[in-house]
Amino acid sequence: MSILRKARLNEVPEGYRDILACPSPKEQVNSWLCPQRFLLPLWPEFIMSIRWGAGDFVEHSNSILCCFELPVQGNLRLIQRGGVSLIEPGSAGILYRGEDSRLETGPAGYCRKYSIGLRGSALTAVLAGAGLTERQVVPVPDLPRLLALLERMAEELRLQDTARCAALCGGAMELLAHLALAEPEPPDERMALALNLFAINVPNRVSVGEIAARLHVSVMTLDRMFRRHSGKAPGAYFRELKMQTAQELLRQKNLTIQQIADRVGYSDALAFSREFRKYAGISPTGYRERLSSDLFK
C-alpha cells in the first residue's frame, strides 16, 4: 500500500484511509468506532457525503471494509477485478472487502456522492445470500428512499448512542436488502438458492455434494452453474466464503482460533489454519497480530 496524500488521512474514517487523493473539502463524514461494533453481524463504519472534482480518486489495497458508492450527480469510474465499470445516479458501486480497487471521477468530470462502509461477522454471508458477491454495479430504482435511509443512519452515527447500535445494524441490513431486490431481471432461482445454502452453511461441515443434493442437481451441474456465474468452482467459492468470515471473526479477540475454526466449519484448528494460510498468505495468529498494527486499525 502507498499513501498519496498523507495530509488528508486524518480527515477520513478508519477503513477509508487506504489511499485518498481528493483536494475538494469534505461535505460531511459520519463515523463511529463503537467498542461493541465487533459483536454485531453488520456495522456501518462510516457514511460520507462528498463532492469530487476532476482528477479525484480513492484506491484501496486489501480494503478492510466493503464500501458502497451512490452517485447523486455526475458519475464515477470503478476499476476492480481487472475491469472498468461506470457508476451513475440510479446505481450503486460495490468496492469489495479484501480486494484492490480504484474509484475515480468519471467522464462527467465531477461527482456528488454518498459512501457507506460496512463490516461485520455476517457481512460475507449476507452479501453471498443476497447475490451481491459478483455484481460490481447494481441498480438503485428508488434512490431518494435509499438516501433517506443513509441520512437516518448518519444521524444515528452522529449521536453515538449505544442504544442505537441495533438500529444501525438493522439499517445496514435494510440497505443490502434494497440492493438485493433491485435486480432488473429475474434471477436464476437455482443459483440464488445455491448461494443462500452456501451462505447459511458457513458454520457447518457440509460438502459440495450435500449442497447439490439439496438442490436436486448433480455435482457436475452445480459446478457448471457456479463457473458460469462466478468463474469459480463451488468448492473454491465455499472455502473463500469461510475464510472471509474467519477474517472478520479474528477481530474478536475473545475468540480462540479453535472457536473460530468451529464457527466456519472446521473441527480441527490445524486444518483451519492451513486453509487460512493458503487463502490469506499468513496464519490466523499472524493475521490477528497484524490487525493490531496501525495499518489494519
Short mmCIF file of all heavy atoms in Angstrom, two decimals, residues 28 98 130 136 204 216 272 275 289:
data_model
loop_
_atom_site.label_atom_id
_atom_site.label_comp_id
_atom_site.label_asym_id
_atom_site.label_seq_id
_atom_site.Cartn_x
_atom_site.Cartn_y
_atom_site.Cartn_z
N GLN A 28 -19.47 16.12 4.48
CA GLN A 28 -19.86 15.57 5.77
C GLN A 28 -19.38 14.13 5.90
O GLN A 28 -19.56 13.33 4.99
CB GLN A 28 -21.37 15.63 5.94
CG GLN A 28 -21.82 15.36 7.36
CD GLN A 28 -23.27 15.77 7.58
OE1 GLN A 28 -24.09 15.65 6.69
NE2 GLN A 28 -23.58 16.25 8.75
N GLY A 98 -11.29 -6.81 1.21
CA GLY A 98 -10.21 -7.75 0.96
C GLY A 98 -9.69 -7.72 -0.46
O GLY A 98 -8.86 -8.55 -0.82
N ALA A 130 -27.45 -12.58 -0.59
CA ALA A 130 -28.20 -11.57 -1.34
C ALA A 130 -27.80 -11.52 -2.81
O ALA A 130 -28.34 -10.72 -3.58
CB ALA A 130 -27.99 -10.19 -0.71
N GLN A 136 -20.59 -5.79 -9.42
CA GLN A 136 -19.85 -4.61 -9.01
C GLN A 136 -20.67 -3.33 -9.12
O GLN A 136 -20.38 -2.35 -8.43
CB GLN A 136 -18.57 -4.49 -9.85
CG GLN A 136 -17.66 -5.71 -9.67
CD GLN A 136 -16.37 -5.58 -10.43
OE1 GLN A 136 -15.60 -4.66 -10.20
NE2 GLN A 136 -16.12 -6.49 -11.34
N ASN A 204 -21.10 -24.84 9.14
CA ASN A 204 -21.34 -26.28 9.13
C ASN A 204 -20.31 -27.04 8.30
O ASN A 204 -19.64 -26.48 7.44
CB ASN A 204 -22.74 -26.58 8.61
CG ASN A 204 -23.82 -25.90 9.43
OD1 ASN A 204 -23.69 -25.81 10.65
ND2 ASN A 204 -24.85 -25.41 8.78
N HIS A 216 -31.20 -30.79 -5.64
CA HIS A 216 -31.68 -31.82 -6.57
C HIS A 216 -31.00 -31.70 -7.94
O HIS A 216 -31.65 -31.81 -8.99
CB HIS A 216 -33.21 -31.75 -6.72
CG HIS A 216 -33.95 -31.85 -5.42
ND1 HIS A 216 -34.00 -33.01 -4.68
CD2 HIS A 216 -34.64 -30.91 -4.72
CE1 HIS A 216 -34.71 -32.80 -3.58
NE2 HIS A 216 -35.10 -31.54 -3.58
N PHE A 272 -7.87 -25.85 9.79
CA PHE A 272 -8.36 -24.49 9.52
C PHE A 272 -7.19 -23.54 9.28
O PHE A 272 -7.22 -22.74 8.34
CB PHE A 272 -9.20 -23.99 10.71
CG PHE A 272 -9.36 -22.49 10.73
CD1 PHE A 272 -10.13 -21.85 9.78
CD2 PHE A 272 -8.73 -21.73 11.70
CE1 PHE A 272 -10.27 -20.47 9.79
CE2 PHE A 272 -8.85 -20.35 11.73
CZ PHE A 272 -9.62 -19.72 10.77
N GLU A 275 -5.71 -23.99 5.84
CA GLU A 275 -6.58 -23.44 4.80
C GLU A 275 -6.54 -21.91 4.81
O GLU A 275 -6.54 -21.27 3.76
CB GLU A 275 -8.01 -23.92 5.01
CG GLU A 275 -8.91 -23.77 3.81
CD GLU A 275 -8.43 -24.58 2.61
OE1 GLU A 275 -8.21 -25.79 2.77
OE2 GLU A 275 -8.28 -23.97 1.54
N GLU A 289 -2.41 -10.69 14.82
CA GLU A 289 -1.36 -9.77 15.30
C GLU A 289 -1.26 -8.55 14.43
O GLU A 289 -1.06 -7.42 14.90
CB GLU A 289 -0.02 -10.50 15.39
CG GLU A 289 0.02 -11.56 16.48
CD GLU A 289 1.28 -12.42 16.43
OE1 GLU A 289 2.03 -12.29 15.42
OE2 GLU A 289 1.49 -13.22 17.35
#
